[in-house]
Amino acid sequence: MSKIIVVTSGKGGVGKTTTSASIATGLAQRGFKTCVIDFDVGLRNLDLIMGCERRVVYDLVNLVNQEASLQQTLIKDKRVDNLYILPASQTRDKDALTIEGVARVIHKLKQNEFDYIICDSPAGIEKGAKMALYFADEAIITTNPEVSSVRDSDRILGILQSESRRAKMDEEPVKEHLLITRYNPNRVQEGQMLSVDDIVDLLAIPLLGIIPESQAVLEASNAGKPVILDDESNAGQAYNDAIARLLGEERPHRFMEAQKKGFLKRLFG
Amino acid sequence: MGLLSLFRSKSSSASLAKERLQLVIAHERTNRGSPSYLPMMKQDIVSVIRKYVEIDEDEVQVSMESDENCELLELNITLPQFGAGGTEDNGDIKG
């Protein structure tokens, strides 16, 4: 039985695509047959983050319109077995997606025995975002420790609870996970940034992980390599922990402590 | 806390952010379940009441609550105190 996970946030630029790429890669590394779908029709970017931008031939809209087969459209990752990328169209807009069309694509993926389908949502709360979350069984709410991101996350939670397929069919609700990205413990300690506890308090959903602000994230996207593959980096390790928790393992949260400052730094701030 | 930071402003902007978010999120959550026609209906109710009494839009509160098997529409209208406005007292006849 395939599990559908949407990575969403409401606000743009918080790390949805980075997260989708790393979560999909992490699940595939653990042997699950995984497909990651870019729902940002018109603003395709997952292909760049995954490093397969030169291999895109057909896209999600071609598949929805039955202009190409699933086998033609899926891009098989070259680094990790079991990992497939379904790119968004760059020339069309979000109106090209329909519930029926997306349902057909999901059905085909299920027939092909995918264990996980990761839906990378576009920003906003319009059609593209609603399409991405409609079929979700679980949701990863990507949030930055910053006022507008937290508010938008709460808004998208409201939409999940009222407009997802599970909500409309009166089924068990979509399982919600909070993933805090670009976390900077030093700034939290100095009272300049909302803390993990503040955000958990405000949004009141279970915490899946904390991804520290890290140079490795930018370097990974520069190279077109999901940051989870950089297992030396804090961010890569934090995504690995998040995967473990997603699969039900208990792991203590890391990267929450401020780094100790040297003597001179302590003196002069 | 560094020595120099003692001289900087000490109030934490993160706690201010949290307070502001608590308020706005609580407010938005109460409006969340309400149907989309509610603001328009509120407008209409206000204009009907205004035919008879001059009121502010803020003085009408509309909320929708749902129990297990019924939906409750709550309408809270604060009317100005009788005679307090003074427009009726000065003898003007309004068309």
Side-chain angles (χ1 to χ4, degrees):
Chain A
M1 201 44 204
S2 331
K3 197 171 262 183
I4 305 170
I5 303 178
V6 63
V7 178
T8 186
S9 69
K11 191 175 176 333
V14 297
K16 285 181 295 296
T17 302
T18 298
T19 297
S20 299
S22 279
I23 295 287
T25 304
L27 288 167
Q29 277 182 318
R30 289 177 179 234
F32 296 104
K33 191 174 176 188
T34 305
C35 175
V36 55
I37 310 178
D38 189 351
F39 273 84
D40 206 346
V41 175
L43 292 168
R44 170 163 88 206
N45 274 321
L46 179 68
D47 56 337
L48 272 179
I49 302 298
M50 295 295 297
C52 64
E53 68 277 8
R54 291 167 59 175
R55 297 168 63 205
V56 177
V57 183
Y58 295 105
D59 58 52
L60 179 61
V61 174
N62 295 134
L63 192 54
V64 163
N65 294 342
Q66 295 169 303
E67 296 153 2
S69 72
L70 185 66
Q71 277 65 29
Q72 286 174 308
T73 316
L74 286 181
I75 301 172
K76 189 177 184 320
D77 191 85
K78 286 189 168 165
R79 294 158 298 217
V80 181
D81 278 346
N82 303 312
L83 180 58
Y84 297 82
I85 300 114
L86 182 44
S89 173
Q90 186 69 322
T91 52
R92 307 290 293 273
D93 62 38
K94 271 113 186 147
D95 291 329
L97 297 179
T98 60
I99 292 279
E100 297 72 32
V102 176
R104 269 201 307 275
V105 172
I106 300 252
H107 181 69
K108 274 188 198 146
L109 289 168
K110 284 185 170 175
Q111 279 180 330
N112 280 271
E113 291 172 342
F114 276 91
D115 297 304
Y116 283 96
I117 301 167
I118 310 299
C119 303
D120 180 20
S121 173
I125 51 169
E126 282 83 30
K127 194 169 182 190
K130 286 181 179 172
M131 289 290 160
L133 66 78
Y134 187 79
F135 293 97
D137 300 307
E138 302 192 17
I140 297 176
I141 313 296
T142 314
T143 307
N144 286 171
E146 179 269 326
V147 284
S148 51
S149 175
V150 174
R151 182 201 212 169
D152 291 357
S153 290
D154 193 66
R155 182 90 169 84
I156 209 82
L157 282 168
I159 292 173
L160 272 167
Q161 289 156 13
S162 61
E163 296 187 39
S164 62
R165 188 195 65 84
R166 282 176 171 268
K168 297 214 166 173
M169 301 293 164
D170 241 340
E171 288 179 19
E172 199 183 318
V174 176
K175 192 171 174 193
E176 299 155 347
H177 307 276
L178 174 62
L179 186 79
I180 300 175
T181 53
R182 310 193 73 164
Y183 194 69
N184 186 332
N186 290 317
R187 301 191 67 185
V188 172
Q189 196 184 44
E190 280 162 21
Q192 300 166 347
M193 185 180 261
L194 288 165
S195 70
V196 170
D197 290 344
D198 290 339
I199 302 171
V200 171
D201 241 24
L202 287 159
L203 295 177
I205 61 172
L207 181 63
L208 179 70
I210 304 148
I211 313 299
E213 179 148 64
S214 161
Q215 182 62 32
V217 173
L218 182 60
E219 281 169 14
S221 61
N222 286 345
K225 174 182 161 191
V227 71
I228 197 170
L229 293 176
D230 180 0
D231 41 27
E232 306 267 287
S233 70
N234 284 357
Q237 291 173 24
Y239 273 117
N240 242 314
D241 287 357
I243 296 284
R245 293 189 202 102
L246 196 63
L247 297 170
E249 283 174 44
E250 296 263 339
R251 289 225 179 157
H253 289 285
R254 298 193 275 168
F255 314 115
M256 289 168 74
E257 305 304 322
Q259 276 172 353
K260 286 201 181 75
K261 289 178 179 175
F263 172 73
L264 281 178
K265 248 198 148 178
R266 236 183 305 157
L267 199 61
F268 296 107
Chain B
M1 283 291 146
L3 202 60
L4 292 183
S5 64
L6 288 176
F7 302 104
R8 294 197 199 117
S9 140
K10 285 287 288 282
S11 77
S12 139
S13 65
S15 57
L16 180 62
K18 189 180 182 187
E19 272 170 43
R20 292 175 59 218
L21 276 168
Q22 272 169 332
L23 284 174
V24 74
I25 287 178
H27 178 74
E28 284 168 356
R29 279 184 191 161
T30 53
N31 292 341
R32 194 181 276 173
S34 61
S36 55
Y37 59 76
L38 224 54
M40 269 151 58
M41 190 170 78
K42 183 180 163 185
Q43 278 292 326
D44 285 353
I45 292 171
V46 170
S47 60
V48 169
I49 296 172
R50 276 203 186 135
K51 275 184 173 175
Y52 306 93
V53 195
E54 195 51 48
I55 53 161
D56 252 7
E57 211 171 296
D58 307 347
E59 284 162 323
V60 180
Q61 263 126 41
V62 186
S63 68
M64 191 84 123
E65 274 174 43
S66 50
D67 277 347
E68 270 172 32
N69 45 13
C70 74
E71 299 240 306
L72 185 73
L73 179 70
E74 197 177 286
L75 199 60
N76 207 330
I77 307 163
T78 318
L79 291 178
Q81 233 177 358
F82 184 71
T87 42
E88 289 97 331
D89 297 340
N90 56 24
D92 287 348
I93 297 167
K94 292 199 171 176

